[in-house]
Amino acid sequence: MKVPAPIVDQTFAQLRRCGAGVSECQALWLGPWSEPDKVTEMIHPQHSASPVGFQVDPVWLHQLWLRLAKDGLGIRVQIHTHPGAAYHSATDDAYPIVHQPGFLSLVIPRFATGTVGFDQAFLARIDDAGTWGEVAIPDYLEVT
Ligand SMILES: [Zn+2]
């Protein structure tokens, strides 16, 4: 997946602004179905959050599905922060925003307050059998 550097910057800025160093936050990377290896937009869901989790507003999510269908876009990657180390928790495994093979979930440690980039991040992917597994970030995300 090709991710433009400005979108990575924008994502970290959003995660930091919303989380303010004390709460989790989620961002979504969208891309057109016509170019399935490309991220073209970052969006920030309406959500509630705590130091240990977040919940996306269902009405907002419904509106998003309508917009994605209308514009030919898909959610390619979900990104969220953790208070400490980045990993995929049992809750993260159980409640992805999209559950389809190839979907990517990126976890950023320490409420994204560290260096912008994926050095300490964790990337999980749903395989063809529908099971989450850790994958190497450089194999799936290319900042362009
Ligand atoms: Zn947020």
Side-chain angles (χ1 to χ4, degrees), residues 12 16 109-117:
F12 270 77
R16 289 171 178 171
R110 288 172 284 285
F111 302 126
T113 54
T115 312
V116 173

Side-chain angles (χ1 to χ4, degrees), residues 76-139:
R76 289 302 149 64
V77 186
Q78 65 176 22
I79 304 98
H80 79 280
T81 53
H82 274 186
Y87 62 97
H88 223 241
S89 69
T91 306
D92 296 337
D93 283 352
Y95 302 105
I97 198 157
V98 171
H99 200 286
Q100 64 189 24
F103 187 62
L104 296 169
S105 178
L106 181 66
V107 185
I108 309 288
R110 288 172 284 285
F111 302 126
T113 54
T115 312
V116 173
F118 305 142
D119 279 356
Q120 309 281 313
F122 184 98
L123 185 65
R125 178 179 181 274
I126 301 177
D127 67 19
D128 291 340
T131 306
W132 285 105
E134 183 180 8
V135 291
I137 293 175
D139 290 350

Side-chain angles (χ1 to χ4, degrees), residues 18-39:
C18 176
V22 294
S23 288
E24 292 195 9
C25 179
Q26 188 195 50
L28 302 172
W29 287 348
L30 310 182
W33 290 118
S34 56
E35 291 174 281
D37 68 336
K38 214 168 172 181
V39 168

Side-chain angles (χ1 to χ4, degrees), residues 39-53:
V39 168
T40 54
E41 184 180 343
M42 185 280 290
I43 57 171
H44 176 235
Q46 271 180 29
H47 66 84
S48 58
S50 77
V52 293

